[in-house]
Amino acid sequence: MAQTRFAPDRGLTSRMVTTMFFIGLLYVVVVGVLVVLLKGAWVVVLLIAGALFVAQFWYSDRIAAFSMGAREVTPEQAPELHGAVDRLCALADMPKPRVAIAESDVPNAFATGRNQKNSMVCATTGLLRRLEPEELEGVLAHELSHVAHRDVAVMTIASFLGVLAGIITRAALWSGVGRNNRDQNAAIAVLIVTAVSVVVYAISFLLTRLLSRYRELSADRAAALLTGRPSALAAALTKVTGQIARIPTEDLRKAQPFNAFYFAPAFNKESFSTLLSSHPTLEQRLDQLGRIAAELGRP
């Protein structure tokens, strides 16, 4: 990983390595089960699994950006946004990513990319309308830290197996999971594949959620230390969270599938289990920023 001036986080690195280890183990288990059950087509299984993994790794950033409505903009089209990114990249000593805007009233931001050279940072029009310059820089610094620490790439890869297992599970359920199948062995094979996929999906989901919550706290910390203005990031967090609560539910549901990549979640009700949340609570994030402000001697 190219060195930047973002504060390193060994806790994040160890969690990313652990997550990738278990995700890789699960991937081997899934492919192994499919190879054993589909003996006559094991080569096809391996080729398809490999192709899907490569496609997910190389094209996931484009897929994510397209899905979230990101549109790349030039400095002439968005001078203030580009100016903020330029300043932060110079401060962090990192390559400038592509800059994009998503037409959405939901105030949010996200970053994509498998590395610093192939990254994009995007802000919604709702975010740009609502934040002051210092607050916007705090949010952008948060997103740039995801790129610098490469946790965006890890999250993309980690989520791949869960998505694949989910597709297999839904396909099996929709097809009747072997019902009316005269071949008893084929029916049993389908049931085993479905059961393994359900377990893999659940484990993958929990692993990515655990990593996602920690990486958000890590990005908050790195952004606050880089800019030296934790209070600006705290103000942005409070403002964004409060404004999201006023957005129509229909619009929030469109954004919800991408919660793990957003600066703030579309839904993060207290009634939801902490174990299932993609982000730490607002109180946790503000408490951390408050401690950083005290360490820096800033109000």
Side-chain angles (χ1 to χ4, degrees), residues 46-65:
L46 291 178
L47 287 176
I48 292 176
L52 286 173
F53 185 84
V54 171
Q56 176 73 6
F57 180 75
W58 285 96
Y59 299 107
S60 59
D61 55 340
R62 301 178 189 178
I63 295 171

Side-chain angles (χ1 to χ4, degrees), residues 73 85 242 244 299:
V73 291
V85 174
I244 284 179

Side-chain angles (χ1 to χ4, degrees), residues 59-290:
Y59 299 107
S60 59
D61 55 340
R62 301 178 189 178
I63 295 171
F66 176 79
S67 301
M68 290 184 268
R71 174 179 57 85
E72 191 171 352
V73 291
T74 65
E76 291 73 26
Q77 293 171 318
E80 293 182 3
L81 180 59
H82 268 274
V85 174
D86 284 334
R87 288 190 295 274
L88 290 169
C89 287
L91 187 62
D93 191 22
M94 66 181 290
K96 182 181 178 180
R98 289 174 291 143
V99 178
I101 292 177
E103 292 290 339
S104 172
D105 192 45
V106 179
N108 233 317
F110 64 89
T112 65
R114 61 185 182 275
N115 54 46
Q116 292 185 28
K117 294 182 179 179
N118 298 278
S119 60
M120 170 187 284
V121 62
C122 177
T124 65
T125 51
L127 184 81
L128 297 175
R129 283 199 304 270
R130 290 175 171 90
L131 296 189
E132 298 298 325
E134 286 190 355
E135 297 170 345
L136 178 61
E137 286 197 4
V139 174
L140 293 174
H142 171 105
E143 297 303 330
L144 289 172
S145 75
H146 284 316
V147 175
H149 290 150
R150 297 195 69 175
D151 54 85
V152 168
V154 173
M155 278 294 294
T156 299
I157 298 172
S159 64
F160 165 70
L161 189 58
V163 171
L164 180 60
I167 292 173
I168 293 174
T169 302
R170 286 192 291 272
L173 292 175
W174 288 341
S175 65
V177 196
R179 287 180 305 198
N180 302 323
N181 196 327
R182 295 180 182 180
D183 188 340
Q184 191 66 27
N185 291 331
I188 293 174
V190 172
L191 286 171
I192 293 175
V193 170
T194 303
V196 171
S197 297
V198 169
V199 173
V200 168
Y201 178 80
I203 295 175
S204 177
F205 180 86
L206 292 177
L207 286 173
T208 52
R209 283 297 185 268
L210 288 171
L211 176 60
S212 179
R213 289 196 296 276
Y214 185 89
R215 83 185 190 107
E216 293 303 327
L217 288 173
S218 176
D220 284 346
R221 175 178 176 273
L225 292 175
L226 180 74
T227 62
R229 294 192 295 268
S231 59
L233 182 56
L237 263 172
T238 303
K239 187 179 292 186
V240 167
T241 303
Q243 290 294 322
I244 284 179
R246 301 177 184 178
I247 301 296
T249 302
E250 182 179 350
D251 294 336
L252 293 180
R253 292 198 184 282
K254 293 179 182 178
Q256 190 177 13
F258 308 104
N259 263 353
F261 294 94
Y262 277 130
F263 170 68
F267 289 101
N268 197 21
K269 303 296 184 183
E270 292 297 326
S271 58
F272 284 8
S273 170
T274 302
L275 190 64
L276 303 180
S277 176
S278 61
H279 288 63
T281 64
L282 176 62
E283 289 71 21
Q284 288 176 307
R285 299 176 76 173
L286 293 179
D287 182 63
Q288 176 182 246
L289 290 172

